[in-house]
Amino acid sequence: ADIILRGYAGWNSRRALEVLDKVFPKDAAVQPSLVIVYFGGNDSTEPDPSGLGPHVPLPEYVENMKKIAMHLKGLSENTHVMFLSTPPVNEEQILEGVGKCCRTNEGCRIYSEACLKLCQEVDIKCIDLWTAIQQRDDWKTVCFMDGIHLSSEGSKLVGEEILKALAEEPSLCWRSLPTEFDEDSVSNPVDEEGKNINISNL
């Protein structure tokens, strides 16, 4: 499978809407088999007095996510859509690093629950990251680099949750994906019967 990442620092659901048609044009010759949408962390930051910054009010966040969901669901009957909810944050670790905290774990919970509720309403699979990450007793110390951004251990946890969700959809399992190129090669070693041995099995 070809995996294409589109992630930009500080982006939120509002900015995602600005490029949605460009990243996922409805008239594309080939549409994606799966789209994983991950917004909420920046949207749920505390509002800045200036009115600037990544914060998106909750009602607008929900409406933005609904528009994204409806657009993606309309790409193709074979396009699967999955949302990841807002993850938790470690407020103490953020304070240690930058001296002030513009995010709260309670704010993340509110946005996470709003995302989950929306996905239930529009029939889209949603992974509850806010809850999943906090299932670990040591989540605050091992899942973040700075209280916000995920460490390798936190990313591994997210990957595991995605794989569990994909296992529920047989057409997205790697075993069901067509092989693009033949795995046998004339340069593969042969067994005693003269048959090719796939090097991945050695």
Side-chain angles (χ1 to χ4, degrees), residues 34-195:
L34 170 68
V35 181
I36 299 176
V37 179
Y38 190 20
F39 291 107
N42 290 327
D43 299 71
S44 65
T45 57
E46 295 291 299
D48 190 90
S50 69
L52 302 174
H55 171 75
V56 174
L58 186 64
E60 182 189 345
Y61 166 74
V62 172
E63 187 60 28
N64 291 345
M65 296 296 275
K66 184 174 183 178
K67 288 176 181 175
I68 292 169
M70 294 300 96
H71 179 88
L72 296 174
K73 286 184 76 171
L75 293 178
S76 158
E77 61 182 24
N78 297 319
T79 297
H80 298 267
V81 182
M82 182 186 301
F83 278 18
L84 307 182
S85 82
T86 308
V89 293
N90 181 348
E91 296 172 37
E92 295 84 3
Q93 194 177 8
I94 298 170
L95 282 170
E96 289 172 8
V98 294
K100 62 178 181 177
C101 191
C102 62
R103 303 174 192 231
T104 67
N105 205 32
E106 177 62 12
C108 292
R109 179 191 66 79
I110 292 168
Y111 278 69
S112 176
E113 289 182 355
C115 183
L116 289 163
K117 182 180 177 186
L118 169 66
C119 288
Q120 188 174 28
E121 291 172 358
V122 298
D123 192 28
I124 284 180
K125 175 70 180 175
C126 187
I127 296 174
D128 181 359
L129 288 186
W130 192 84
T131 300
I133 290 174
Q134 293 183 88
Q135 293 300 307
R136 286 189 60 145
D137 292 337
D138 58 354
W139 71 273
K140 284 188 173 183
T141 56
V142 302
C143 288
F144 302 102
M145 295 186 296
D146 54 10
I148 298 171
H149 300 97
L150 295 171
S151 64
S152 58
E153 194 64 27
S155 295
K156 180 181 174 185
L157 191 153
V158 173
E160 289 170 354
E161 291 297 317
I162 290 172
L163 290 175
K164 277 196 281 186
L166 291 181
E168 298 172 8
E169 181 49 61
S171 67
L172 296 175
C173 176
W174 68 270
R175 292 183 186 275
S176 67
L177 299 177
T179 301
E180 188 174 10
F181 304 107
D182 189 1
E183 292 185 359
D184 287 332
S185 168
V186 293
S187 58
N188 283 351
V190 294
D191 62 19
E192 294 174 357
E193 299 176 358
K195 295 180 181 176

Side-chain angles (χ1 to χ4, degrees), residues 6 19-32 35 71-72 74-76 79:
R6 289 288 183 271
V19 300
L20 187 61
D21 288 316
K22 294 185 179 103
V23 178
F24 298 103
K26 289 204 169 184
D27 59 353
V30 177
Q31 293 294 359
V35 181
H71 179 88
L72 296 174
L75 293 178
S76 158
T79 297

